[in-house]
Amino acid sequence: MDNVNSTENNETVVVDKLLELPRNLSKRQLKQVKKREKWQEWKVEKRLREKAKAREKRAHARANNLHLGPSRKLLKRSTMAASSCKLTVTIDLSYDDLMIDKDIAKLTKQILRCYALNRRAIAPLQFSLSSFTGKSRDDMEKHNGYEHWDVNFHTKSYINVYPKDKIIYLTSESENVIEHLDHSCIYVIGGLVDHNSHKGICHKLANEAGVRHGRLPLDKFLQMKARKVLTIDHVFEILLRITEGNTWQETFLKVLPERKNARPIVPEQSEDQEETSDLKSLDTRDMVLVDTKVPGEETKQLDCDKEINVVN
């Protein structure tokens, strides 16, 4: 009986919500509203399932002595304020009008992964979102508690938040190759998921804003047949791993997905290095072993190419 009453109450709530909707909505807008309401109802159930799955995972790890990464206590202490890394990375969210809803949802997922990577780092980056308004913010509202994340949210543009002379906009079209990271600078990642339909727009807007721009040294360390445009979370993770002391090449090979088919570039050796390498690679058969001299006996040289019979 209680279940019947509960079902009736839920149906009444849905009907009331539909009556509250403006009458001038198109079929497409009405469909989006219904979809959003359905998501809100399903989100609570999804969160409960995730918590139950996490408890099972922890119990399995304890039973089998498996390592699950940093503990919750360590993660609580590992904040941006307490971090030894002062490198600032901000995602520029001023491209909402260039993306459809599906791409904005993908953008949100990439931001979530950036936050997760930074949250589990021993020395987190100084992570922020700029131009945090419009569709990208509306989509972020689907995730309860995001406002409590260890992230700096700015509704203003990055150029109105940080010193202009310290800003470096990351774009693959830049002619400036970044050799090392300057911890006094602010690195900007364009928050755009467009499947390359707006090629070069980040580079163009950086020039128009009068800020410096640069690209990661992919060409110097990798051979890639695929295009060198990376996702937001990949760029973020590369910057994070470099601040942890990894080299560019090992970071690229670790972070980039297999579909990029990246191969390391082996540095050319100088003539001196080649000669040293040749000496080291000499076959042991070309070496001569000399016995230590024993009183009353002649010194003998052992040629490894000759067969020697040892008599006991």
Side-chain angles (χ1 to χ4, degrees):
M1 188 68 180
D2 291 339
N3 291 336
V4 173
N5 291 335
S6 177
T7 304
E8 290 177 353
N9 291 336
N10 290 337
E11 291 177 352
T12 304
V13 171
V14 172
V15 171
D16 290 342
K17 286 183 178 179
L18 291 175
L19 291 174
E20 293 174 1
L21 295 175
R23 296 183 179 276
N24 58 348
L25 290 178
S26 65
K27 289 183 178 179
R28 183 179 178 183
Q29 290 173 327
L30 187 61
K31 185 178 179 181
Q32 289 176 342
V33 171
K34 290 180 179 179
K35 186 178 179 181
R36 192 177 297 114
E37 289 178 352
K38 187 177 180 180
W39 160 257
Q40 292 294 338
E41 293 172 1
W42 179 75
K43 185 169 62 174
V44 177
E45 182 183 347
K46 178 174 180 279
R47 183 60 177 160
L48 291 173
R49 287 203 304 268
E50 288 175 347
K51 286 184 176 180
K53 187 176 180 180
R55 283 196 296 269
E56 292 176 3
K57 188 177 180 180
R58 288 195 295 270
H60 176 76
R62 284 194 295 269
N64 295 276
N65 294 323
L66 299 177
H67 181 60
L68 281 176
S71 65
R72 294 179 65 86
K73 290 183 179 180
L74 180 61
L75 290 176
K76 286 182 179 180
R77 293 195 300 267
S78 182
T79 62
M80 293 195 301
S83 176
S84 59
C85 178
K86 300 305 177 185
L87 186 90
T88 301
V89 177
T90 186
I91 298 177
D92 176 17
L93 300 177
S94 62
Y95 300 93
D96 285 1
D97 295 337
L98 301 179
M99 292 182 287
I100 60 175
D101 292 344
K102 186 177 180 180
D103 288 336
I104 288 180
K106 290 180 180 179
L107 168 65
T108 303
K109 286 184 178 180
Q110 293 185 28
I111 293 173
L112 291 175
R113 186 164 187 272
C114 291
Y115 170 68
L117 287 167
N118 208 44
R119 190 75 181 85
R120 301 183 74 82
I122 301 299
L125 300 173
Q126 304 303 309
F127 181 33
S128 70
L129 303 178
S130 54
S131 297
F132 186 57
T133 57
K135 295 179 183 178
S136 55
R137 181 168 184 167
D138 292 341
D139 195 73
M140 189 67 75
E141 297 283 351
K142 295 178 182 179
H143 301 275
N144 286 341
Y146 82 89
E147 62 273 9
H148 302 300
W149 290 358
D150 191 22
V151 177
N152 294 321
F153 298 95
H154 303 292
T155 56
K156 295 181 180 179
S157 171
Y158 68 91
I159 203 165
N160 295 322
V161 176
Y162 301 106
K164 188 174 181 179
D165 61 331
K166 295 293 184 180
I167 294 172
I168 299 177
Y169 211 114
L170 299 175
T171 166
S172 60
E173 288 81 14
S174 176
E175 63 278 7
N176 305 317
V177 180
I178 298 173
E179 299 289 347
H180 66 278
L181 298 179
D182 186 345
H183 285 231
S184 66
C185 289
I186 293 85
Y187 292 88
V188 183
I189 303 174
L192 178 62
V193 178
D194 67 337
H195 311 286
N196 214 28
S197 58
H198 297 283
K199 188 176 180 179
I201 191 168
C202 292
H203 183 243
K204 177 186 175 184
L205 294 179
N207 282 325
E208 290 178 356
V211 298
R212 288 185 292 167
H213 48 76
R215 60 184 171 88
L216 301 178
L218 290 168
D219 294 331
K220 185 175 180 180
F221 297 99
L222 297 180
Q223 291 178 341
M224 290 175 58
K225 293 182 179 180
R227 63 194 183 105
K228 297 178 176 62
V229 179
L230 307 180
T231 59
I232 295 165
D233 51 319
H234 285 154
V235 175
F236 185 91
E237 185 174 2
I238 287 169
L239 298 177
L240 177 61
R241 301 307 173 208
I242 293 297
T243 62
E244 292 175 342
N246 298 300
T247 65
W248 285 109
Q249 190 173 76
E250 65 186 3
T251 298
F252 290 149
L253 293 173
K254 182 179 180 181
V255 173
L256 297 186
E258 291 185 2
R259 67 175 182 271
K260 291 293 184 180
N261 197 26
R263 296 290 180 268
I265 294 177
V266 180
E268 295 182 1
Q269 292 183 336
S270 64
E271 293 182 1
D272 293 339
Q273 289 176 325
E274 289 179 357
E275 290 178 2
T276 305
S277 178
D278 291 339
L279 289 172
K280 288 181 179 179
S281 63
L282 285 175
D283 195 285
T284 55
R285 290 177 299 178
D286 296 330
M287 298 175 64
V288 176
L289 300 179
V290 181
D291 277 352
T292 56
K293 188 174 181 180
V294 179
E297 295 185 2
E298 295 182 356
T299 301
K300 297 180 180 180
Q301 291 185 345
L302 302 180
D303 190 341
C304 294
D305 282 338
K306 294 181 181 179
E307 185 176 349
I308 300 177
N309 295 322
V310 179
V311 181
N312 291 332

